[in-house]
Amino acid sequence: MPSVFVQGRPADSYPPLAPEARRGKVRRITEVGEEILHKPCRDVTEFGPDLAALIDDMFLTMYVADGAGLAANQVDVDLRLFVYDCPDDDGVRHVGHIVNPVLDPLDPAGRRLLDDGEGCLSVPGAVMDVPRPDRAVVRGFDKDGEPLVIEGTGYFARCLAHETDHVNGHVYLDRLSRRQRKEALGQMADRRDEVFARRTANIEALHGGRGRSGVRGGGRGTFSA
């Protein structure tokens, strides 16, 4: 089994950070409560340099925030698009982007739900158990408009489902009970400053020419993961 898949295809090797990040700039991450996170995003209809530049920015922003996935509305852009750099439960790394993603429905008789800790870069500091299917198939396009199918299992399936939720206007808090949501927002209030201090330190490391210490890809990070 290859150790890394890029855009759903096996790769012999891959750098710690996706090359797109080297061309990108860091953007502000939107937070729960902002309107753009709570409404369905618009389909991408134009494929070209502007879309490619947005993907570059999203990769760098995701890495700086120690994320495993990031949707466009999390950088305040109303488009159906997300990027990811996420391992599955077998330790295989999955890296890529998908435009206009649609999650395949699964046969309820054949699916298995897994409870696992889930966080979100737009709910900084909060982690809650969320039931998700152990398999996901997402269909869409790449930045050049070519059809794309991405399949994932385990933790990577969770990432694909989480990010597709984002472009549909949902955050993972929507899948929690009222009591659980209150607990998650309490965690966010308690830990938000610590999370932002880490992000600031990562940005300073990038700008300070000390390499990318503290900023790395392929880890089991926070979705928009």
Side-chain angles (χ1 to χ4, degrees):
M1 169 70 73
S3 61
V4 60
F5 283 77
V6 181
Q7 293 295 100
R9 301 182 183 90
D12 292 333
S13 63
Y14 203 71
L17 301 186
E20 290 90 339
R22 300 183 184 279
R23 302 188 294 264
K25 65 178 184 295
V26 179
R27 299 198 184 199
R28 185 186 77 86
I29 295 176
T30 54
E31 292 189 41
V32 62
E34 295 186 43
E35 182 181 0
I36 197 167
L37 292 175
H38 303 282
K39 63 178 184 179
C41 294
R42 296 184 297 110
D43 281 346
V44 173
T45 57
E46 296 184 14
F47 295 80
D50 289 346
L51 181 64
L54 172 60
I55 290 169
D56 293 347
D57 292 352
M58 289 171 63
F59 266 108
L60 183 58
T61 302
M62 177 182 70
Y63 288 137
V64 162
D66 297 322
L70 186 72
N73 57 354
Q74 293 184 279
V75 292
D76 205 26
V77 176
D78 181 17
L79 289 176
R80 294 180 63 85
L81 160 70
F82 67 79
V83 302
Y84 58 88
D85 189 341
C86 181
D88 61 26
D89 288 356
D90 296 319
V92 177
R93 181 183 176 195
H94 299 265
V95 189
H97 68 271
I98 187 162
V99 179
N100 296 339
V102 176
L103 193 66
D104 276 5
L106 297 178
D107 181 357
R111 74 175 187 172
R112 185 166 64 107
L113 291 179
L114 299 178
D115 273 332
D116 201 353
E118 192 166 320
C120 179
L121 300 183
S122 293
V123 192
V127 177
M128 299 292 293
D129 284 347
V130 181
R132 297 272 191 188
D134 65 345
R135 180 174 175 270
V137 178
V138 178
R139 301 178 188 274
F141 302 88
D142 67 13
K143 63 182 176 61
D144 299 314
E146 296 298 321
L148 187 62
V149 179
I150 303 296
E151 301 185 34
T153 59
Y155 192 72
F156 181 48
R158 179 174 297 273
C159 175
L160 294 174
H162 180 113
E163 300 307 331
T164 305
D165 269 359
H166 269 301
V167 301
N168 291 331
H170 302 295
V171 295
Y172 85 99
L173 300 185
D174 298 335
R175 296 184 174 273
L176 303 179
S177 68
R178 182 176 297 182
R179 178 187 59 80
Q180 290 170 323
R181 181 184 174 91
K182 182 177 179 181
E183 180 182 345
L185 292 174
Q187 290 181 18
M188 175 178 163
D190 290 342
R191 302 170 185 168
R192 185 176 180 277
D193 288 349
E194 177 185 344
V195 170
F196 275 80
R198 270 201 316 273
R199 293 180 187 177
T200 299
N202 285 342
I203 292 171
E204 290 175 350
L206 287 169
H207 291 167
R210 299 193 298 271
R212 284 184 168 84
S213 82
V215 185
R216 58 186 182 276
R220 195 170 164 114
T222 304
F223 301 131
S224 359

